């Protein structure tokens, strides 16, 4: 059925029900209240035949309780006094069924105002109606039975006369008849009814109840939680009254729209909006991560972990929820874990509806880790990637425990959306952090560069001052000193220019097949005076020939930069420069026996402006190794480092011998 056809069918079903006939019985009584007339309808309703009742007091028809209270006589007396009265009375049929009826008694008097009798109109509100309405309900059922909305019909006593299949399913019953057979109290006690804000909703305010009380309520939106299973659903309920002859509501038709999906989507959108608002409150990367975990634990999970690898470095695990002391231990276990137990790249979105031991075992991490995870009593879990393709990889892990919530496919979708949004926001924070870092580095660099340029300049100007008054014999020596200072200045300016060129990606190589040995030797020769000053012996060890396709000037620059460092950090010990061919690659190795570099700094010192030995009073711009790496990369090669603090350093430049398939310009970093 199409949605429009469904609507028409529903409307038709409701119309049939809406036209249900009123149900009433009229009795004639004498002045004492004895029954004078008995109709077919009365016989149907009360199951007594005329012979049983004619001439007997009308009290025969009500329950013991009514009789003991003298309610009928009082009603007759009141009618005699006032002309007419109306009340709801409790009747009992011959077979013992009790029902309520709205009773109107009108007294009949002659011209002398003498009471002659009564007319009693009984409108049945109960069980008997069902028999009468059965035909109509059956007719309506043909179109309502499989309608996509739940339909129930209740009588004035709140008893359910009809339910369709959707209503039965929504209420968790196997069939409409099972639902109808359940007493109202039993049905209601299965559920907790909550309003939109999550507060308890009193069953008396249900629209069906209110229309039977004569009101015309608006539809209500309810959250229904099945107490035993925890299943939740949202329903929009509206009710319509079917009125009897007197205009009183006799039946309530309830229509239940299942709006769980709609409501869930609304809540998700709201959650995403609020999460975004929460995350953008800070620009700090770590704080954003913490806030993300906190938010997720407050509404989507009982337990949340964010495991990230940033630029190849595993970050401290962010965990929220559960018992803090367990989490601390789990965190330290995770930080020790270096294997790929939760391989960070290529994480696939995964839903584990029911977490079992074997799932936890698969995570690895050893017996203690398994013990801890088991003590968290995880019942359901979701894993989604949280990553930025270029810079980071990681997993967002969500789990439930004490709430007993079982995740489903839609939760997985939601987790993906959250992670996508969070990834974007974390990326912003990351860029912001990188920008701050870049600004800090540039500022540091500017002060270092200014200092580096000022020192030789100051010496030079002092030298020129003294030159004027110098005795002629000392002039050549001082001029030589001046020339060296100017060379040093020129070299610094050259390095700065190079850095500028490399940053803007303009490193053009002129590749020529050359024997590299002589180039290395020549470069090293130039350093002889500096080596002497530094107190280091230089030894060159080059196999010949060492032919490779290289840019001569640039390779010269690589050797110069590495030798400069070896002399600077070489602690007056010998420096060895070697070149040769291994595995069809050209290797140029520069080794010293100086202060060395701690392994934690191996990666860092190749970055722009990064220095490791600043506090030991070595001047420098932090650009030499970066330039070396850029040149080497432009040749399609790499630079390896072997060093430990206090044990010297070896830099091994590896260049391909030929460039049939290669690039000639540097990647700007
Ligand atoms: P600079 O030497 O101007 O500081 P570099 O980029 O050439 O800049 O080197 C970066 C850092 O690497 C240096 O600051 C130093 O800490 C470290 N370094 C480079 N070469 C050596 C070496 N041969 N021995 C010890 N440390 C070195």
């Amino acid at each position: 059925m199409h949605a429009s056809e469904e609507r028409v069918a529903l409307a038709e079903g409701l119309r049939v029900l809406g036209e249900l006939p009123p149900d009433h019985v009229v009795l004639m009584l004498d002045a004492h209240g004895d029954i004078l007339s008995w109709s077919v309808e009365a016989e149907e309703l009360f199951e007594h035949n005329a012979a049983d009742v004619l001439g007997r007091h009308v009290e025969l028809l009500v329950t013991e309780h009514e009789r003991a209270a003298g309610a009928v006589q009082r009603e007759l007396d009141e009618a005699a006094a006032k002309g007419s009265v109306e009340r709801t009375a409790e009747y009992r049929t011959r077979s013992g069924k009790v029902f309520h009826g709205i009773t109107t008694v009108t007294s009949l008097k002659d011209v002398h105002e003498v009471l002659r009798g009564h007319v009693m109109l009984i409108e049945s509100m109960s069980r008997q109606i069902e028999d009468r309405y059965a035909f109509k309900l059956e007719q309506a059922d043909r179109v309502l039975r499989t309608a996509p909305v739940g339909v129930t019909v209740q009588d004035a006593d709140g008893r359910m006369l009809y339910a369709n299949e959707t209503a039965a399913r929504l209420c968790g019953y196997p069939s409409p008849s099972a639902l109808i057979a359940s007493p109202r109290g039993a049905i209601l006690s299965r559920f907790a009814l909550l309003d939109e804000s999550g507060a308890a909703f009193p069953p008396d305010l249900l629209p069906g109840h209110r229309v039977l009380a004569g009101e015309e309520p608006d539809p209500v939106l309810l959250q229904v939680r099945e107490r035993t299973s925890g299943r939740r659903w949202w329903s929009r309920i509206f009710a319509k009254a079917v009125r009897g002859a007197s205009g009183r509501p006799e039946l309530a038709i309830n229509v239940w729209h299942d709006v769980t999906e709609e409501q869930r989507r609304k809540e998700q959108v709201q959650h995403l909006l609020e999460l975004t608002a929460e995350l953008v409150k800070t620009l700090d990367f770590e704080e954003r991560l913490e806030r993300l975990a906190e938010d997720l634990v407050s509404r989507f999970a009982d337990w949340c972990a964010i495991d990230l690898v940033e630029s190849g470095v595993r970050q401290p695990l962010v965990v929220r929820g559960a018992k803090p002391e367990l989490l601390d231990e789990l965190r330290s276990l995770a930080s020790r874990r270096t294997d790929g137990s939760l391989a960070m790249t290529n994480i696939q979105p995964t839903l584990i509806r029911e977490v079992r031991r074997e799932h936890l075992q698969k995570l690895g991490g050893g017996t203690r880790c398994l013990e801890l995870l088991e003590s968290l009593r995880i019942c359901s879990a979701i894993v989604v990637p949280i990553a930025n393709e270029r810079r980071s990889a990681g997993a967002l892990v969500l789990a439930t425990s004490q709430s007993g919530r079982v995740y489903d496919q839609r939760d997985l979708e939601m987790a993906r959306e959250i992670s996508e949004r969070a990834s974007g926001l974390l990326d912003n924070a990351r860029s912001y952090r990188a920008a701050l870092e870049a600004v800090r580095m540039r500022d540091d660099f500017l002060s270092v560069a200014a200092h580096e340029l000022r020192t030789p300049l100051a010496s030079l100007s002092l030298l020129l001052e003294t030159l004027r008054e110098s005795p002629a014999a000392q002039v050549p020596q001082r001029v030589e000193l001046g020339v060296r200072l100017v060379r040093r200045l020129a070299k610094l300016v050259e390095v700065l220019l190079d850095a500028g060129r490399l940053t803007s990606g303009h490193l053009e190589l002129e590749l020529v097949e050359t024997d590299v040995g002589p180039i290395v030797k020549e470069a090293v020769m130039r350093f002889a005076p500096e080596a002497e000053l530094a107190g280091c012996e230089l030894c060159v060890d080059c196999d010949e020939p060492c032919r490779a396709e290289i840019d001569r000037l640039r390779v010269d620059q690589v050797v110069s930069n590495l030798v400069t460092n070896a002399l600077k950090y070489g602690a007056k010990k010998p420096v060895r420069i070697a070149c040769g061919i291994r595995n069809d690659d050209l290797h140029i190795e520069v080794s010293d026996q100086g202060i060395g570099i701690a392994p934690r700094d191996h990666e860092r010192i190749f970055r722009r402006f990064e220095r490791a030995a600043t506090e030991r009073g070595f001047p420098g711009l932090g650009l030499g190794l970066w330039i070396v790496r850029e040149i080497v990369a432009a040749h399609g090669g790499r630079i390896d480092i072997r060093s430990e603090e206090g044990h010297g350093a070896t830099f091994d430049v590896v260049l391909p011998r030929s460039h049939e398939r290669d690039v000639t310009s540097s990647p700007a970093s």
Side-chain angles (χ1 to χ4, degrees):
M1 254 199 265
H2 290 299
S4 57
E5 285 171 15
E6 276 168 359
R7 266 199 301 277
V8 172
L10 179 62
E12 170 62 14
L14 296 181
R15 191 186 61 73
V16 172
L17 281 177
E19 285 173 0
L20 290 176
D23 180 66
H24 56 274
V25 166
V26 181
L27 297 182
M28 299 295 296
L29 309 177
D30 69 10
H32 306 290
D34 291 342
I35 300 169
L36 297 176
S37 71
W38 192 244
S39 63
V40 183
E41 289 80 16
E43 194 171 325
E44 264 181 39
L45 185 60
F46 289 99
E47 301 162 359
H48 290 291
N49 55 37
D52 293 338
V53 292
L54 286 178
R56 296 183 64 184
H57 197 271
V58 71
E59 262 188 352
L60 165 79
L61 304 178
V62 297
T63 56
E64 244 107 276
H65 169 70
E66 289 263 321
R67 263 205 296 276
V72 179
Q73 195 50 55
R74 206 166 39 247
E75 190 180 13
L76 295 176
D77 293 345
E78 243 180 80
K82 292 186 192 160
S84 182
V85 289
E86 186 187 286
R87 75 173 185 110
T88 303
E90 205 174 68
Y91 294 94
R92 180 189 295 280
T93 68
R94 190 168 179 228
S95 63
K97 289 183 221 153
V98 174
F99 68 92
H100 288 89
I102 303 155
T103 311
T104 315
V105 180
T106 310
S107 61
L108 300 171
K109 292 182 179 168
D110 64 15
V111 285
H112 306 294
E113 284 293 301
V114 177
L115 182 68
R116 292 293 177 194
H118 304 271
V119 180
M120 188 177 241
L121 172 76
I122 303 170
E123 277 187 75
S124 166
M125 295 162 66
S126 180
R127 195 85 205 161
Q128 269 58 36
I129 292 183
E130 190 186 338
D131 301 336
R132 309 223 151 199
Y133 290 162
F135 174 67
K136 286 285 182 185
L137 286 170
E138 236 177 79
Q139 260 190 321
D141 183 50
R142 266 181 236 143
V143 278
L144 292 181
R145 190 174 52 228
T146 56
V149 295
V151 180
T152 58
V153 178
Q154 53 190 140
D155 70 12
D157 284 344
R159 267 188 296 234
M160 200 178 290
L161 304 184
Y162 173 80
N164 71 351
E165 284 173 2
T166 307
R169 184 174 45 74
L170 280 176
C171 295
Y173 283 84
S175 65
S177 51
L179 172 60
I180 294 167
S182 279
R184 182 171 189 258
I187 300 173
L188 280 175
S189 66
R190 291 174 68 142
F191 303 105
L193 302 180
L194 308 171
D195 67 13
E196 269 181 279
S197 66
F201 185 92
D204 285 354
L205 296 184
L206 283 169
H209 218 266
R210 292 179 61 189
V211 294
L212 288 173
E215 296 175 44
E216 286 185 9
D218 288 331
V220 294
L221 179 64
L222 276 191
Q223 197 189 143
V224 187
R225 186 165 54 81
E226 200 166 8
R227 291 188 201 274
T228 46
S229 67
R231 180 176 66 104
R232 283 166 186 273
W233 42 279
W234 283 86
S235 202
R236 186 170 294 112
I237 308 169
F238 96 92
K240 189 173 177 287
V242 176
R243 293 176 186 275
S246 64
R248 275 176 177 267
E250 217 161 51
L251 293 183
I253 306 170
N254 301 293
V255 180
W256 304 62
H257 283 268
D258 182 358
V259 289
T260 311
E261 259 325 294
E262 191 182 310
Q263 204 57 25
R264 196 167 166 157
R265 197 59 218 151
K266 231 162 71 185
E267 279 174 3
Q268 287 182 346
V269 169
Q270 186 65 21
H271 183 180
L272 284 174
L273 285 175
E274 285 171 17
L275 174 67
T276 309
E278 182 60 24
L279 295 190
V280 297
K281 278 187 194 155
T282 172
L283 264 168
D284 183 77
F285 182 79
E286 275 78 22
E287 216 182 310
R288 274 197 181 174
L289 269 184
E290 301 276 337
R291 282 179 187 229
L292 171 65
E294 249 151 48
D295 177 273
L296 290 175
V297 161
S298 72
R299 31 180 156 187
F300 198 50
D302 296 322
W303 193 82
C304 162
I306 307 172
D307 203 354
L308 276 185
V309 173
E310 290 276 317
S311 309
V313 181
R314 182 167 222 128
Q315 302 297 298
L317 188 71
V318 177
V319 197
R320 279 288 181 284
K323 302 157 196 160
E325 65 287 356
L326 292 187
L327 294 182
D328 269 349
E329 200 179 336
L330 202 65
R331 197 183 280 133
S332 73
L333 285 173
S335 62
R336 255 182 271 148
R337 197 187 60 201
T338 48
D339 65 331
S341 45
L342 244 184
M344 280 305 120
T345 48
N346 203 18
I347 299 266
Q348 294 302 316
T350 311
L351 164 70
I352 310 171
R353 277 174 216 270
E354 235 181 276
V355 174
R356 287 189 301 272
R357 195 159 205 263
E358 57 263 35
H359 292 121
L360 301 178
Q361 273 165 339
K362 262 195 218 151
L363 286 175
T367 335
R368 181 64 191 144
C369 202
L370 182 67
E371 228 176 80
L372 285 177
L373 285 168
E374 279 194 318
S375 70
L376 290 174
R377 299 193 187 289
I378 295 173
C379 77
S380 201
I382 282 177
V383 181
V384 285
I386 178 163
N388 164 293
E389 277 161 25
R390 285 170 295 130
R391 280 185 278 189
S392 69
L396 170 64
V397 185
L398 298 162
T400 64
S401 54
Q402 70 271 20
S403 68
R405 176 171 174 175
V406 176
Y407 287 133
D408 60 21
Q409 196 60 32
R410 284 169 303 206
D411 291 317
L412 179 67
E413 285 310 312
M414 177 63 178
R416 285 175 75 162
E417 273 189 55
I418 288 177
S419 140
E420 248 170 57
R421 187 161 297 211
S423 296
L425 290 168
L426 288 174
D427 211 24
N428 289 348
R430 207 181 271 123
S431 305
Y432 176 71
R433 187 173 63 177
L436 283 185
E437 181 67 2
V439 168
R440 185 191 62 75
M441 278 170 104
R442 194 204 53 198
D443 291 349
D444 285 359
F445 169 73
L446 286 176
S447 56
V448 171
H451 175 79
E452 289 291 298
L453 290 169
R454 206 171 38 209
T455 316
L457 258 182
S459 312
L460 190 61
S461 73
L462 194 69
L463 190 76
L464 289 174
E465 290 287 325
T466 55
L467 200 59
R468 251 191 248 135
E469 281 101 43
S470 296
Q474 287 180 10
V475 169
Q477 192 197 348
R478 296 208 167 163
V479 167
E480 181 51 35
L481 195 60
V483 168
R484 249 192 272 141
L485 283 170
V486 169
R487 251 197 238 126
R488 188 163 151 204
L489 272 170
K491 202 166 170 187
L492 278 171
V493 171
E494 193 53 40
V495 167
L496 290 175
L497 282 176
D498 251 347
R501 273 199 290 271
L502 285 174
T503 307
S504 53
H506 292 132
L507 181 62
E508 295 288 326
L509 295 186
E510 264 181 54
L511 295 173
V512 180
E513 217 220 87
T514 327
D515 185 358
V516 182
I519 299 172
V520 173
K521 281 183 193 153
E522 198 187 307
V524 174
M525 294 268 282
R526 280 203 313 275
F527 279 91
E530 263 155 294
E532 207 182 312
L533 262 178
C536 294
E537 186 193 332
L538 280 177
C539 52
V540 187
D541 181 4
C542 284
D543 297 340
E544 286 191 44
C546 256
R547 301 197 72 80
E549 248 182 279
I550 52 144
D551 181 315
R552 298 173 62 107
L553 286 176
R554 290 298 176 185
V555 167
D556 183 306
Q557 196 179 358
V558 165
V559 175
S560 302
N561 284 4
L562 292 178
V563 173
T564 305
N565 282 350
L567 295 177
K568 185 160 39 163
Y569 304 109
K572 302 186 189 302
K573 298 206 182 121
V575 169
R576 178 172 171 274
I577 301 101
C579 72
I581 303 291
R582 286 204 300 275
N583 298 331
D584 209 32
D585 283 325
L586 169 69
H587 285 254
I588 306 172
E589 252 181 34
V590 179
S591 328
D592 64 65
Q593 298 163 37
I595 63 167
I597 305 150
R600 64 171 180 281
D601 291 326
H602 285 188
E603 219 292 301
R604 184 169 74 79
I605 51 171
F606 287 97
R607 290 191 227 135
R608 215 160 28 139
F609 313 138
E610 290 281 2
R611 314 195 59 230
T614 42
E615 71 281 8
R616 303 201 209 166
F618 291 99
L621 296 173
L623 285 169
L625 285 183
W626 176 66
I627 292 172
V628 166
R629 195 184 61 175
E630 291 299 300
I631 294 173
V632 169
H635 277 84
R638 62 170 205 277
I639 177 162
D640 298 332
I641 175 172
R642 295 192 297 279
S643 181
E644 268 178 49
E645 224 168 351
H647 293 94
T650 298
F651 290 87
D652 183 11
V653 173
V654 188
L655 302 180
R657 291 184 71 190
S658 67
H659 288 267
E660 280 142 29
R661 50 201 149 85
D662 265 328
V663 246
T664 53
S665 80
S666 137
S669 62

